[in-house]
Amino acid sequence: MSAQGTPKAAGSTTAKATPKETPKGAWTVTFLLFLFMVVNFADKIVVGLAGVPIMTDLKLEPEQFGLLGSSFFFLFSISAIVVGFIVNKVATRWVLLTLAVIWALAQFPMVGAVSFTTLLICRIVLGAGEGPAFSVAVHAIYKWFPDEKRALPTAILTQGSAFGVILAVPALNWVIVNHSWHYAFGALGVVGLIWVAAWLALGKEGPLEDTQALAVSEPKIPYLQLLTSRTFIGCVAATFGAYWALSLGLTWFTPFIVKGLGFSQTDAGFVSILPWVFGATIVILTGWISQVMMARGVTTRIARGVLGSVPLVLGGLILAMMSHVQGAGLQIAALVVGSGLCGAIYVVCPPMLGEFTPASQRGAVIAIYGALYTLAGIIAPVVMGSVIQRAGSTIDGYMTGFTINAVVMIGSGVLGLLLLWPNTEKARLTRGTAAQAGALKGVVSPT
């Protein structure tokens, strides 16, 4: 039996086929992958953090800067899908190493004088390297933890995004203010190479699953059924709304603080941390609450599906109030809380997909899920840039853009509430596969 096991019904006492004990070394690998995501999000945030100096130096219009923010995602989804199928066959240890090397090398061209075209190309290459990052890291961690223990390590992994911003923003902003935005990119390249060295020394493959062996022995579910299941569609829809907010935070939050609200670049660096601090709290709480609920026999429909979707709706409603409150403090508070609540969905969706996806197919399914929801990263920054450039004033443009974000979040949260039923998904998919097999057998049978 694969490590994700069979979804546990409420009150069920049936023993799982997966090991109950967490293998030695699991938390070391979890910490390394947490750092992997720290580097990943530090790489993402640097363009937004240096947005105003970049626009000034390269004489960019808002639409051009929006294009730069979106360019990171041009190959993001394609790369995620391709690598997702690769990790079904290749050890995640070496895939993660390769991705981190690409990240580091993509940063160094920005150290010297750079044109908009060069910056654009380097961001596209970086996006191709970072597209598979989260899904491969999740797949790697799930080789160390059985299903009932995956919520907390998933939350810790997700926390890497918040800490990547919390730790990187003050350091990178200091470099930008006191030296140049060019050197901020170079610093990230060096940090990436340091992680590569640490992973070479300490990174290992998890012992709970051998996906190559499982690919031969484990029953499979057709990818079409997995990818059209209501829980998969619900995860994509719900996380799409969350990622819309995240991609705006990565690209437009600091420019909004500087150009929209009039803060200095130095002060904006500190303010830019706030959504990630709040989001980090939401992520940890969600992982802990989900795991406690499941330990008490609550179905994953509630402990994962509802728990992840409700904050999206609440966050969208709070964000929608942003244009109706007066004062920079209240507007920042609405933006911080509204966008920060999105973090809950990232914790619960990968474990939900892992509930019903065979381990030998899980890497590809989680990667395709990531590839689809991150399409929001292509759309959201460009939409915001276009709205700002066409608005009567800069602040009006930002407020309209954040209102659009609120509508997307509310809609995605509602879809999550309607579609996320992981506790019944595996049984339904298994029945469907068995029925198809039986029908096929009946066709070829001489009787």
Side-chain angles (χ1 to χ4, degrees), residues 317-351:
L317 292 172
I318 292 170
L319 197 60
M321 297 168 56
M322 189 175 166
S323 61
H324 302 288
V325 297
Q326 299 298 317
L330 287 177
Q331 289 173 345
I332 291 172
L335 182 56
V336 166
V337 176
S339 58
L341 285 169
C342 293
I345 198 68
Y346 298 110
V347 181
V348 296
C349 273

Side-chain angles (χ1 to χ4, degrees), residues 81-443:
I81 294 172
V82 171
V83 175
F85 281 96
I86 289 173
V87 294
N88 284 345
K89 304 292 184 181
V90 178
T92 53
R93 180 173 186 248
W94 302 114
V95 175
L96 290 163
L97 183 72
T98 302
L99 295 177
V101 169
I102 292 171
W103 304 352
L105 296 180
Q107 303 289 9
F108 291 119
M110 269 77 76
V111 174
V114 63
S115 66
F116 175 69
T117 302
T118 302
L119 183 55
L120 195 73
I121 291 171
C122 287
R123 293 301 287 180
I124 292 172
V125 171
L126 180 66
E130 294 201 350
F134 183 69
S135 58
V136 175
V138 166
H139 186 53
I141 275 186
Y142 287 3
K143 295 183 179 184
W144 289 91
F145 295 90
D147 179 61
E148 69 275 8
K149 295 183 179 181
R150 288 175 179 167
L152 187 56
T154 303
I156 291 172
L157 183 65
T158 307
Q159 283 287 63
S161 62
F163 277 85
V165 176
I166 293 168
L167 296 175
V169 164
L172 293 175
N173 201 53
W174 182 88
V175 174
I176 292 166
V177 171
N178 293 282
H179 297 282
S180 165
W181 60 268
H182 297 277
Y183 291 112
F185 285 90
L188 289 173
V190 172
V191 170
L193 291 179
I194 292 172
W195 186 89
V196 166
W199 184 251
L200 270 173
L202 301 172
K204 297 178 182 178
E205 200 75 5
L208 295 188
E209 297 173 355
D210 181 346
T211 51
Q212 291 182 344
L214 287 169
V216 176
S217 62
E218 184 182 50
K220 289 186 174 59
I221 298 173
Y223 278 105
L224 182 61
Q225 289 188 31
L226 291 169
L227 302 181
T228 56
S229 65
R230 63 184 177 186
T231 299
F232 180 86
I233 294 171
C235 278
V236 171
T239 318
F240 182 92
Y243 210 79
W244 187 290
L246 185 145
S247 59
L248 289 185
L250 291 171
T251 307
W252 283 107
F253 188 88
T254 304
F256 166 66
I257 297 300
V258 175
K259 289 195 167 185
L261 299 182
F263 285 74
S264 68
Q265 178 70 33
T266 300
D267 291 339
F270 292 104
V271 176
S272 297
I273 297 174
L274 297 178
W276 304 93
V277 173
F278 181 75
T281 305
I282 294 298
V283 165
I284 286 294
L285 279 175
T286 302
W288 177 73
I289 292 170
S290 175
Q291 206 147 303
V292 168
M293 291 173 74
M294 289 183 63
R296 294 180 178 178
V298 177
T299 64
T300 52
R301 156 66 181 166
I302 304 298
R304 288 173 174 171
V306 174
L307 185 65
S309 300
V310 168
L312 271 173
V313 177
L314 292 177
L317 292 172
I318 292 170
L319 197 60
M321 297 168 56
M322 189 175 166
S323 61
H324 302 288
V325 297
Q326 299 298 317
L330 287 177
Q331 289 173 345
I332 291 172
L335 182 56
V336 166
V337 176
S339 58
L341 285 169
C342 293
I345 198 68
Y346 298 110
V347 181
V348 296
C349 273
M352 280 192 283
L353 297 176
E355 282 186 56
F356 60 84
T357 304
S360 60
Q361 298 173 272
R362 188 180 60 223
V365 168
I366 292 179
I368 294 169
Y369 151 71
L372 293 174
Y373 79 69
T374 53
L375 291 174
I378 298 177
I379 303 168
V382 170
V383 169
M384 179 66 94
S386 179
V387 168
I388 293 169
Q389 191 155 329
R390 287 163 173 73
S393 67
T394 300
I395 191 65
D396 288 343
Y398 277 111
M399 291 304 165
T400 302
F402 287 126
T403 300
I404 293 170
N405 186 185
V407 172
V408 172
M409 284 172 57
I410 293 169
S412 66
V414 170
L415 286 173
L417 286 171
L418 294 173
L419 296 173
L420 296 176
W421 292 81
N423 54 316
T424 61
E425 201 73 83
K426 183 164 187 175
R428 187 182 65 80
L429 289 169
T430 303
R431 282 196 305 270
T433 303
Q436 287 183 1
L440 181 61
K441 184 177 180 180
V443 170

